[in-house]
Amino acid sequence: MSLLPIRLFPDPVLRVRCSEVTEFDESLRKLAGDMIETMHAAPGVGLAAPQVGVEKRLAVVDLSVGDDRSQVHVLVNPRVVRREGLVTEVEGCLSIPGINDKVDRPERVTVRAVDLEGKPLEIEGEGWLARALCHEIDHLDGVLFIDHLRGLRRERVRRQLRKLAAEYEDVRAGVGA
Ligand code: ZN
């Protein structure tokens, strides 16, 4: 397995609506394994394929960040089929370093997906697991947590986002570290 570079805002790949996975082959298993390793190393509790530059509907979630194998979820073509309640908590994203803010998310969700063999699976998530599932599934549609911020919260991050955008341009132009 190998660590993959994490794409940072405002990389356009983060805004792509990813396509369904149709081939359940060795390269998909390798990508999922690399994404799990990359998520753990970051460290983070979730990672979606576009965050490593792959426009496919694949995401991994692990609230234990590598401590508990049973908490690793690999989701292929996931969708939220049920939402219940509402919780507001501070959220962040590995692709938007340094920015954290309060986002409303359902308290409980049911997610349907398939596994790496294409077999259907269902996950019931509550609290932080529900939040992580919604966050990662959003990524597959090019939606970022900052898109959910309204009013003052949105104003607050606007300046920070401009700074990230300027840094991104500098890196692309070969300026700085
Ligand atoms: Zn994210």
Side-chain angles (χ1 to χ4, degrees), residues 46-48 51 92-96 135-136 139 144-145:
L47 192 68
Q51 292 183 278
C93 177
L94 291 177
S95 293
I96 315 176
H135 179 115
E136 299 314 325
H139 268 300
L144 302 173
F145 86 93

Side-chain angles (χ1 to χ4, degrees), residues 7-127:
R7 302 297 189 92
L8 301 179
F9 178 90
D11 192 315
V13 75
L14 297 172
R15 291 308 194 177
V16 167
R17 191 178 149 80
C18 299
S19 50
E20 297 266 318
V21 172
T22 53
E23 304 215 356
F24 298 84
D25 53 10
E26 184 51 36
S27 71
L28 183 70
R29 285 190 288 279
K30 164 105 172 63
L31 175 61
D34 288 348
M35 282 172 57
I36 291 168
E37 199 185 355
T38 302
M39 164 180 69
H40 287 160
V45 296
L47 192 68
Q51 292 183 278
V52 292
V54 179
E55 299 172 14
K56 282 187 181 163
R57 302 188 81 79
L58 168 66
V60 295
V61 170
D62 178 8
L63 288 193
S64 81
V65 201
D67 283 344
D68 176 5
R69 191 82 212 145
S70 73
Q71 291 193 45
V72 177
H73 298 287
V74 177
L75 305 163
V76 183
N77 302 334
R79 61 201 167 93
V80 179
V81 296
R82 196 174 61 96
R83 301 158 201 269
E84 245 179 61
L86 194 76
V87 188
T88 308
E89 289 284 359
V90 174
E91 199 170 311
C93 177
L94 291 177
S95 293
I96 315 176
I99 299 184
N100 302 85
D101 219 317
K102 286 183 171 178
V103 181
D104 297 336
R105 297 284 188 187
E107 191 176 6
R108 271 178 300 277
V109 293
T110 304
V111 170
R112 284 198 190 129
V114 294
D115 66 14
L116 290 170
E117 271 82 51
K119 280 187 293 198
L121 63 91
E122 193 172 283
I123 301 173
E124 308 262 341
E126 197 176 326

